[in-house]
Amino acid sequence: MNRIFFRFFVLVMLSITAATFVIYFAFARLFGDPLDDIARRQAAAQIFLLEGYVDQAPGDEWLTRLNNVREVSDVRYDLMPLSQALDALGAGQRAELERGDIVIDVAGKSFYRRVDLDGDRYIGSQDEVLHAQDLPIDIGQALKMELLRYVIVAIALLLPIALWSRSHWQGLQSLSRMADEFGAGKLSVRAQLKPSDAVYPLAERINHMAGRIEDLMESQRSLLHSVSHELRTPIARLEFALELLDAKARDPELSRRIAAMEGDLSELNNLVKELLDMSKLDSARTLQGAPVELDALLRDCCATLPPSLQEVACELAAGLGTMELDARLIARAVGNLLRNAQKYAQGRIVLSARRTPDGVDISVDDDGPGIPAEERDRIFDPFYRLDRSRDRSTGGFGLGLSIAQKAVVLHGGSLHVESSPLGGARFVIRLPA
């Protein structure tokens, strides 16, 4: 919330600041410099004294009255040639001075004005300028007043911006929690917002999208589950029929063909079993969490591996402790990774685990050919297999890694592949604390 509030508040204040400068320059161009008006008001007494007392004197007494003002005033009044005054002023101010207007020099705290335009006050007076200096002009005070006004506006905006930010933040937090739970497999979760909330229309669209996804996933699960169940019955009949046929067969060639057919049926039966297992991993409701000793669980995964020629090492760091998880699913995920490593490892497989500040990292390394970087994201897709693994001896069905990833994701973790120090592939399971 602080980030949203701060960004919006800064944006509003920058907009107000920019508008202030635009207003200042627009007014200065159309109506004159506002600072000049402030300085003119502050020097109003001296201007009135000049126009109301000195200028009202008869022509031959003008200098006398000016000297009288000099004696009683703290302001310094000097006479200077018109050409010198014009050199000291800008182009716009020169035109004002030549017309006989009073020209304020805000920075110099002074003003200029021609004595007269016709030379009536004394000989050569039309070519001289009265320069009043040390005027009581203090623009700093005016700027402080503007700054105070700006601060008051900023403070007045704090409360409505804070309320607006809080309302949006709560709505976005609700949507964020809903997205996290939905991504973790709780497809029935929905955002609960009031119609008066600012992000309510967005929440309704997200809820509608979530409902459609849930319906599609449920349809897919039902279809997969139904088809898998329906397939098991004819598979069982075929297995029984092949056994009867094999018992009565006397031809060795026919027996070999029957054995091959039985192998195909066994493979199909395993595929159906894996499809049923995968369909059960699409929802967090399948989790049966309980405190589990990680060290014992991982050592059991190594111990239950089918025999192979590769050396399987279990290198577990001390202090793994216990975690709340579904032991059956995590064991299935680790077992799938180990059996996958057995297919490709040349001589060595290493299962390792260590505690991290965020949870636990479980790694499976092998010294096989490894996995190309461009295919590391796709190998977790169902039925995807690398080109070199499209045979029955090593290929499988392309479901083992997908099942492992689903099991890990249901626990809020992640599974990814990288290069192994052994030269092959490393699969890393990250489980949150």
Side-chain angles (χ1 to χ4, degrees), residues 51 54 180 226 245 258 262 325 342 353 364:
E51 295 178 340
V54 178
D180 290 340
S226 300
L245 183 61
I258 291 173
E262 287 176 340
L325 46 81
Q342 279 185 322
V364 176

Side-chain angles (χ1 to χ4, degrees), residues 70 156 159 193 270 335 351 357 380:
R70 285 173 171 169
L159 182 59
L193 295 178
N270 290 334
L351 172 63
F380 298 106

Side-chain angles (χ1 to χ4, degrees), residues 11 61 75 78 105 107 122 126 135 156 162 218 220 242 294 312 365 369 394 427:
L11 178 63
E61 295 183 8
V75 177
D78 293 328
D105 179 8
Y122 56 85
Q126 73 276 10
L135 296 174
E218 188 62 36
Q220 182 189 38
L242 285 173
L294 283 177
V312 180
D365 292 89
T394 62
F427 288 85

Side-chain angles (χ1 to χ4, degrees), residues 138-149:
D138 186 6
I139 298 301
Q141 181 181 3
L143 294 178
K144 290 177 182 177
M145 292 173 62
E146 291 298 320
L147 178 62
L148 178 61
R149 186 180 293 111

